[in-house]
Structure formats: structure tokens, C-alpha cells
Amino acid sequence: MSFDGMFTHAMVNELNQNLTGGRIAKIQQPFANELILTIRSNRKNQQLLLSAHPSYARVQITKQPFENPAKPATFVMSLRKYITSAIVQGFHQLNNDRIVMIELSAKNELGDIHEYTLIIEIMSRHSNIFLINKETGKIIDLIKRVSPENNSFRGLLPNDDYKLPPKQDKMNPFEASQKEFDGLESAGDIRQKFEGIGIDTSDELFARLDEAHNIILSYDSPTPNAAHLIKNGKLGFFPIPFSKTTKDSKNYSSLSELLDNYYLDRARVDRIEQQTKSITHRLSIILKKDKSKVKKLNKQLKQTEIMDKYNLYGELLTTYMSKIQRGSKSIKLTNYYNNEEVEIKLNPEYSPSDNAQSYYKKYRKLQNSIPHIKEQLEITNNEINYLESVLASLEYVDIEDVDGIIEELIESGYIKKKRKNGRKKRKKTVGEKFVTTNGIEMVVGKNNIENDKLTMKLAQKNHYWLHVKDIPGSHVILKDSDPDEESIVEAAKIAAYYSKARDSDKVPVDYVQVRNIRKPNGAKPGFVIFEGQKTILVDPDRDLVAKLKE
């Protein structure tokens, strides 16, 4: 289901239970559309995520790690000025709409208490986050500023009066009795009559119309789960069990944990795309040129197939020189290798000898071009494989690993090094560590330079190396000379997860001892060749990744 008004209702209850009375300890804006408030509540710090993303707008408690950008955005600077150390008085929802209001009280420099409201409007591409001065009703700042010419209904700039979005003339389902549902003839009628009900929710309510009121009341004590919908097979998130889901339902302890899991890959890929948009665009252009070049080179290579015919024509013309009349446009001669007649075109302006030499020249030109074409094909194909591996790695690495990929591209000469911004570099650790169920350590490379270091420098010769077969992915080193079968399967599942085949089933994974791996001279980072490998079929396993992570 979507983050509709019903889900918002349940989430507001969860936030009130966990964060009301807490103090804002830290304010971050790690991405353009997302805000993180670290709130000290119940003797622990909890991260409140407010997202105005056009596709993933939501509000939740999150346990995902975030890093501050080098330069704070204007909006986060405004928030830090007014609501750092503010007390969270409570959360409430506007009727059953997707508008959440967070009431705050904070002291200014003189110790005077001021009231503020932090409002998140969850409205797809129009989603926004506002800080409102409760005393004046004016907008102090907002995460997405919109000029008047692009929004005639209300002001969306600092110092404008805050005005609610256009009101829908619909009933709040939490204030309705069962009678209000009786007689409705379709799920569309439910959406038309009641506020904040999404398509999946209305389908569920209509399927169980005689108990619709009780279903709505159950949103006050949710049992969050993720499952695939029967009608389209897509994975959805639900605050209560829905009848039209498959049996693969997975329950979570809270709505926030449910959303963290559901959005884990979706939000991660989107955030990485935001950070690397210009880089991926550049690499995609190079990749497109390389693929076009390979087509041309293969075409040139195919043209060399005719060179043996040119050599034969030269031989025949030389052998039967006396039969050729000057000024002829062609001549038919017997091929003495198979006794078949061959018609050879001639240049009437050339002598018989010049015509023969012309064919020999064409033959030598094509013959001499083959090594160059093959060399260029190898170089270009290697670059294609490398670029595809880099682009693929951006699909499965974590957000904190992007810097390593950017450094790799700088070292490889694909992008220019930016000027230092004064940020302290974190101490580099090569790869991510895991421990198998049976206690064997393994390490996963997160970019091609790490893959090289792990495999060619850090791994011992008797350790085992794993990699998805013929698909871009991370190198995995299993630090054991004789690993048990269960550990090999677990390492293979990790290798499949950290690859472009993450969303596939029955992924082939090669494994072999490091002693059987070598890196060709001049090969791109991450490229190795090996022999004597065995192959195992496994399914990528996200839960296993979380379980085995050191």
C-alpha cells in the first residue's frame, strides 16, 4: 500500500508513543528532500526521518546511518537556529490527511519560550516540510521554496502566511460508524466518500465491507508486515494484515522498522543516484561510445574475411598474366585449388601486373589491420566490462561506499579530482567484514580497487575467492583453506547479494582458491582471470547479510 492517510494515522500514534517529550539533540539534512532530527527520548537517541521525496515521502523513526554534507543547506541552518534543543510536545495528523504536525517549544537566547510547528505534507511531488512560527502563523523556512508564479494558491516562501493545502470535502473514516459504509458499491465509492484512503486500503475495505469499521479501528493497534499483493505480485507494506496478500508476509516490531526494510534498497539507490548523477551520466556516454566502437571494429574484422580472396586473385592474375588483355574490365580464370572458374574484376586503366599488385596490396592492408583491430577490440571490451561493473556496483553498494567508487574513478582517470573541502578523511578500511555461522571470517570488496587489494594483496593463497559468474559484482574472500559446505554456501549468497544479480534467483557463483587467480598486466581494476573453479547456485539473501555482518 501507499503511505496514505490511514498509514499516517497509525504512524502518528507510534511517533507519539516514542518521541513525545523528547528533546531535539541534532538536526541534519543529508539529502535535498530529507531531514533527520535526532531526538533524545526515553534515555536514548532516536532518528526521526522527515522525507519530502517525490516518490518516497514519509515520516518515520529510522535506524539507517546518515552523514552530514560538507556544507549545510539553508533550511537546516534555519532549523538549527530556531529549534535546536526544542522539546517535542506531540504529533498530530490533520483529520485523516497526509499532513503531520509536530508541536515544538524552544527557548531563545534570552531564555524566552517560543512555540513552533514543524509540518510535513506528504503529497507526492508536491511534498514539503515547513517550520512555522506558531505565534504569527508565518513560514520561517521550508525545504522546497516555490515562487508565486508556480503556485497561485498559497505562498511557499519564507515570511509567507502558512496556508493549508486545498481541503477535500470528505469524511474522516475514524469518525464514521459502520452505517457510513453500508450500501457503498465499489472501492472507488469508499475513496470518494472518505478522506486519506489509498487504492489498496479501499480495495481491502470493500472486500470486507461488513467489518470496515472494525478494520479502521485496528489501525490504532497495528501489526505491521510486508507482503506481496495477490493481484499484481508487487511487494507492499501494511500496518495491519490484508486479506489480498500472499503467504510470504513478514512481520515487524514497528511501522518504522517495516519502512526501513521496505525502503532500504529503493531509497539507497535513489540517494546514490542523487550523489552520482553527473558521474553516471558521463560514464554512460563513454559506455555508449565504446559499444558503438565495438560494432565498428567487429564490422571491420568481418571485412577482413575477404582478404584471402584478394590474395587468391593476386595469385591467379600473376599465374595467368599472359591471358590478360590490357583494358579489360574483368576476366574469368580457373582456380587451380578447386578447379572452379572465378571471375575477377579488373581496372582497365591498370596493366595486368598492376591489377595483380592491387589485389596483393588490398590483401596485405587487411592482413596488417587484424592485429590492430583485435587489440582495440580487447581494450574497448575491457573498458566496457569495467564501466558496467562500476555502474552495477552503484546499484548494490551502501551510500557510505560511494566515496570509494568516486576515488576509484579519479584514480582511473574517468573524472577529475575536486578541490579539497576541508573535511577530514575517514580512515580507510578495505572491504566489509562478515563471519559465517561456523565462525569463518569473510571480506567483501565494495569497489574495484578494494576488490584488487583484497584478492591480489591481502588474501592468502589458500583462502577461497568467490564471485558471481559472468556478472558484475564484488570479490568475496573466505579466509579459510578448507571451508565447510555451509560456509561456502553462505559466502556465495553474500557474493550474489553484492552483485548486479541481487534481485535474481538461482545465481551461479564461482569459487576457487586465491592461488588460481591472476591479474593480466594492464588490466582494469577488479578484473582477474582464474581456472579450476567450481560453481554453485544460490539465492541472494538480505537477511543473511544482516545476520553475518561483523
Side-chain angles (χ1 to χ4, degrees):
M1 68 177 291
S2 59
F3 201 114
D4 63 3
M6 302 294 291
F7 197 99
T8 304
H9 176 95
M11 179 57 77
V12 165
N13 287 343
E14 179 173 298
L15 296 177
N16 271 317
Q17 291 170 16
N18 287 277
L19 300 178
T20 296
R23 184 184 296 273
I24 297 176
K26 192 175 182 181
I27 304 171
Q28 299 167 270
Q29 189 180 342
F31 303 101
N33 299 316
E34 293 182 342
L35 188 69
I36 295 289
L37 303 181
T38 301
I39 299 175
R40 183 72 178 174
S41 178
N42 299 319
R43 297 184 179 180
K44 60 181 178 180
N45 289 336
Q46 299 188 74
Q47 293 185 134
L48 176 64
L49 167 65
L50 306 179
S51 174
H53 190 282
S55 301
Y56 310 131
R58 64 196 188 280
V59 53
Q60 65 166 108
I61 297 169
T62 182
K63 292 183 179 179
Q64 298 302 315
F66 295 93
E67 275 195 22
N68 267 329
K71 185 179 180 182
T74 304
F75 182 54
V76 81
M77 292 299 291
S78 295
L79 294 180
R80 288 172 181 174
K81 177 181 177 181
Y82 290 98
I83 62 171
T84 296
S85 298
I87 301 298
V88 178
Q89 301 295 343
F91 298 78
H92 71 265
Q93 178 185 15
L94 182 67
N95 299 318
N96 197 46
D97 205 350
R98 293 180 298 169
I99 298 176
V100 178
M101 299 182 173
I102 309 171
E103 303 300 340
L104 304 169
S105 61
K107 291 182 180 180
N108 63 12
E109 298 86 351
L110 301 175
D112 299 324
I113 296 177
H114 292 275
E115 305 291 330
Y116 302 98
T117 305
L118 194 59
I119 301 175
I120 174 168
E121 299 178 352
I122 302 171
M123 300 186 299
S124 301
R125 63 189 181 92
H126 298 296
S127 298
N128 216 328
I129 304 171
F130 304 81
L131 179 64
I132 309 297
N133 184 322
K134 198 172 180 180
E135 295 156 11
T136 64
K138 290 188 177 293
I139 299 171
I140 295 174
D141 210 344
L142 64 167
I143 203 165
K144 296 179 186 176
R145 299 183 179 189
V146 182
S147 58
E149 56 265 28
N150 293 325
N151 185 69
S152 58
F153 178 77
R154 58 177 180 160
L156 291 173
L157 292 171
N159 295 317
D160 286 337
D161 290 325
Y162 176 72
K163 187 177 180 182
L164 288 168
K167 186 178 180 181
Q168 295 180 332
D169 189 20
K170 296 182 181 182
M171 182 181 292
N172 185 340
F174 289 94
E175 297 174 356
S177 65
Q178 180 60 40
K179 286 183 180 180
E180 302 290 348
F181 291 90
D182 295 340
L184 295 179
E185 297 181 354
S186 69
D189 286 349
I190 294 175
R191 295 195 299 275
Q192 192 68 31
K193 184 172 182 176
F194 297 101
E195 182 181 29
I197 295 182
I199 293 175
D200 290 334
T201 309
S202 64
D203 287 346
E204 180 70 9
L205 290 171
F206 185 69
R208 301 162 61 188
L209 197 60
D210 58 342
E211 53 177 330
H213 179 62
N214 289 332
I215 293 172
I216 287 171
L217 293 180
S218 70
Y219 275 74
D220 286 326
S221 53
T223 52
N225 67 89
H228 288 84
L229 281 167
I230 290 173
K231 63 178 181 179
N232 57 20
K234 290 183 178 179
L235 182 69
F237 56 88
F238 308 93
I240 61 171
F242 272 32
S243 58
K244 292 188 176 182
T245 59
T246 56
K247 293 181 180 179
D248 64 346
S249 176
K250 182 175 179 180
N251 293 329
Y252 294 89
S253 62
S254 67
L255 297 172
S256 292
E257 184 189 11
L258 166 67
L259 293 183
D260 258 357
N261 252 274
Y262 180 81
Y263 284 112
L264 184 63
D265 281 337
R266 293 166 178 80
R268 176 186 57 78
V269 170
D270 181 77
R271 289 162 183 159
I272 288 173
E273 284 177 353
Q274 288 181 47
Q275 272 196 307
T276 62
K277 191 173 182 180
S278 61
I279 295 170
T280 53
H281 178 68
R282 175 172 171 74
L283 297 186
S284 296
I285 291 173
I286 298 172
L287 195 57
K288 187 177 180 180
K289 287 181 179 178
D290 281 347
K291 288 182 176 179
S292 177
K293 184 178 179 179
V294 165
K295 283 184 181 179
K296 290 178 182 177
L297 289 169
N298 280 323
K299 189 176 180 181
Q300 291 173 13
L301 193 61
K302 189 167 182 63
Q303 288 173 348
T304 64
E305 294 174 2
I306 203 172
M307 70 179 185
D308 290 333
K309 187 182 287 188
Y310 289 158
N311 188 45
L312 174 65
Y313 290 173
E315 280 186 30
L316 296 178
L317 291 175
T318 302
T319 303
Y320 299 111
M321 188 83 70
S322 58
K323 293 185 178 183
I324 305 171
Q325 294 183 0
R326 192 180 185 103
S328 298
K329 293 183 178 180
S330 66
I331 188 171
K332 290 183 179 180
L333 299 173
T334 301
N335 180 355
Y336 39 73
Y337 290 110
N338 57 17
N339 292 322
E340 291 180 359
E341 196 172 63
V342 177
E343 184 173 2
I344 303 173
K345 290 183 179 180
L346 302 173
N347 187 331
E349 296 181 3
Y350 286 0
S351 67
S353 176
D354 287 342
N355 269 298
Q357 290 304 315
S358 174
Y359 277 112
Y360 278 133
K361 188 176 180 180
K362 289 179 180 178
Y363 163 73
R364 287 191 294 271
K365 183 178 179 181
L366 289 174
Q367 187 183 45
N368 292 335
S369 72
I370 290 175
H372 174 73
I373 294 171
K374 287 184 175 178
E375 181 186 16
Q376 287 301 307
L377 265 174
E378 184 179 3
I379 291 171
T380 310
N381 277 321
N382 285 342
E383 182 168 67
I384 288 172
N385 291 334
Y386 172 71
L387 293 176
E388 285 181 341
S389 76
V390 172
L391 290 171
S393 66
L394 292 172
E395 296 177 16
Y396 59 79
V397 299
D398 295 323
I399 190 73
E400 59 266 25
D401 300 313
V402 172
D403 286 347
I405 293 175
I406 292 173
E407 284 184 28
E408 173 190 331
L409 291 170
I410 291 171
E411 287 186 27
S412 300
Y414 287 98
I415 57 177
K416 291 181 180 179
K417 189 173 184 178
K418 291 183 179 180
R419 291 180 180 178
K420 293 181 180 179
N421 53 23
R423 291 176 69 186
K424 291 182 179 179
K425 285 189 175 181
R426 291 183 298 167
K427 189 178 179 181
K428 291 183 181 178
T429 56
V430 179
E432 188 161 355
K433 293 181 180 180
F434 297 82
V435 178
T436 69
T437 303
N438 293 326
I440 300 175
E441 185 181 337
M442 61 176 136
V443 189
V444 178
K446 290 304 190 71
N447 57 62
N448 286 306
I449 289 178
E450 284 194 359
N451 288 337
D452 271 0
K453 287 180 180 177
L454 283 176
T455 303
M456 307 311 300
K457 293 182 179 180
L458 301 179
Q460 296 179 16
K461 297 296 182 183
N462 60 353
H463 287 166
Y464 272 79
W465 175 91
L466 299 95
H467 191 282
V468 286
K469 188 179 186 67
D470 301 328
I471 300 172
S474 293
H475 292 201
V476 176
I477 300 297
L478 191 57
K479 295 186 173 183
D480 197 278
S481 60
D482 187 23
D484 58 278
E485 186 176 346
E486 183 182 2
S487 294
I488 290 173
V489 171
E490 288 180 346
K493 287 183 176 182
I494 298 291
Y497 181 79
Y498 286 104
S499 78
K500 196 172 182 180
R502 172 177 284 190
D503 297 320
S504 305
D505 297 323
K506 305 301 178 190
V507 178
V509 177
D510 291 331
Y511 66 98
V512 69
Q513 280 192 309
V514 174
R515 68 175 78 256
N516 295 316
I517 296 172
R518 64 186 181 88
K519 186 173 184 67
N521 291 333
K524 293 283 186 183
F527 179 79
V528 295
I529 55 177
F530 50 92
E531 58 187 5
Q533 73 276 13
K534 293 181 180 179
T535 305
I536 184 173
L537 291 175
V538 295
D539 295 331
D541 192 335
R542 176 194 289 174
D543 293 336
L544 183 69
V545 171
K547 177 184 173 184
L548 301 183
K549 190 172 288 189
E550 190 178 66

